[in-house]
Amino acid sequence: RVALAADNARLYAERDHTARALQAGLLPTSLPSVPGVDIAARYLAAGTQSEVGGDFYDVFRADGVGTWIVIGDVSGKGPEAAAVVGLARHTLRALCRRERLPRRLLANLHEALLLEDRGEFCTLVCALLASEPDGGATLTVACAGHPAPIVRRADGRVERTSVRGTLVGMPIDVSFTEEVVRLGPGDVVVLHTDGVTEERDANGEEFGDVRLTWAVRSAGHGARAIADHVVATVRAYGGGSPRDDIAVVALEIEDEKEPIVESGEDR
């Protein structure tokens, strides 16, 4: 009995280590430095981390185009979800070299997922951040069945973008809208997975969009502080460990003169 208990403990420890290592490998090790933009991301796994979650994010530069920001959620958990997350991230990075519109990126990702036929679907937001000649930036956003990004203006107003679209990876007809958001110094954008709004308190009430809007409005300044504040507020509402994985990406436009797009190779 002692030997069996010790062996089970070892197996559980190995499974947890494998899940953590695989999860870390599905997320970027670091975010690129984007002149004029403060950007940060946070990921919080649900439960004991013994299974790989389906939430993911990515931020990467495209030479001469701008910075791509992706956040998404794959159905299910475990190895199946991990396989789709890896496919989605690497497919998007490859596609961005020839596509310049987020809605086309989503359509091409949908076709790639159908070819793999893994039985999982994916929701995500794909956004391209680019500089403007007069300073500031534009964020071109497309959505595939995912919560739309939230924008907090420098004067404190909070608004949610109106992009809509179908999820990808299932044998259905897909369509995506696209929205261009003009951003100036002090403006903030928050992207998140549904683990944020669907977190529940002890009475089963969801965190919801209204509480999220308040959390974004009261988060202060600095991308790291904003992302930390949103995650901490959700955790406090749910009483500790989240019921679902949570991913948050926050960016704030700084008051700098440097362009957002640089020359050089992709990072």
Side-chain angles (χ1 to χ4, degrees):
R1 287 198 297 268
V2 171
L4 182 60
D7 192 47
N8 285 338
R10 177 184 61 81
L11 291 175
Y12 279 116
E14 289 179 356
R15 187 181 68 176
D16 290 350
H17 173 74
T18 300
R20 288 194 298 269
L22 183 55
Q23 188 78 73
L26 295 173
L27 300 174
T29 56
S30 62
L31 302 184
S33 176
V34 183
V37 182
D38 184 22
I39 188 165
R42 296 292 182 266
Y43 180 88
L44 185 62
T48 61
Q49 299 185 6
S50 60
E51 282 193 308
V52 181
D55 288 16
F56 68 96
Y57 65 87
D58 204 359
V59 181
F60 51 95
R61 304 288 297 279
D63 183 37
V65 179
T67 301
W68 287 99
I69 304 167
V70 177
I71 191 166
D73 186 2
V74 172
S75 62
K77 290 182 178 292
E80 295 80 8
V84 178
V85 169
L87 175 63
R89 281 193 61 211
H90 295 299
T91 299
L92 288 171
R93 284 193 172 226
L95 289 173
C96 78
R97 297 179 179 275
R98 62 183 178 88
E99 294 292 353
R100 298 295 182 262
L101 296 176
R103 69 175 185 273
R104 289 183 182 174
L105 224 57
L106 294 178
N108 287 328
L109 174 62
H110 174 67
E111 294 298 327
L113 293 176
L114 286 181
L115 287 175
E116 288 292 320
D117 193 23
R118 294 181 177 273
E120 304 286 349
F121 63 84
C122 180
T123 71
L124 70 157
V125 167
C126 188
L128 177 62
L129 181 69
S131 64
E132 285 291 294
D134 60 348
T138 57
L139 188 73
T140 306
V141 185
C143 174
H146 198 85
I150 295 174
V151 179
R152 188 187 75 188
R153 298 298 182 180
D155 61 6
R157 290 179 294 115
V158 178
E159 56 200 47
R160 189 180 282 273
T161 54
S162 59
V163 286
R164 296 289 184 270
T166 49
L167 56 83
V168 295
M170 296 295 288
I172 59 174
D173 294 331
V174 296
S175 63
F176 314 103
T177 61
E178 199 170 78
E179 181 177 351
V180 178
V181 182
R182 182 72 170 82
L183 300 172
D187 286 347
V188 169
V189 180
V190 175
L191 302 90
H192 65 93
T193 55
D194 59 11
V196 172
T197 51
E198 293 180 3
E199 179 65 9
R200 297 177 182 272
D201 63 9
N203 297 318
E205 184 176 352
E206 288 190 350
F207 187 72
D209 287 333
V210 173
R211 293 183 179 88
L212 178 57
T213 297
W214 177 253
V216 172
R217 181 181 288 120
S218 61
H221 291 281
R224 293 169 184 79
I226 294 168
D228 285 339
H229 180 73
V230 171
V231 171
T233 303
V234 174
R235 290 190 67 179
Y237 182 81
S241 179
R243 291 170 172 77
D244 193 7
D245 301 332
I246 290 173
V248 174
V249 177
L251 66 91
E252 183 172 23
I253 305 299
E254 299 174 335
D255 189 9
E256 296 185 3
K257 303 301 181 181
E258 295 179 279
I260 293 176
V261 178
E262 293 182 327
S263 61
E265 298 183 353
D266 296 356
R267 289 191 273 177

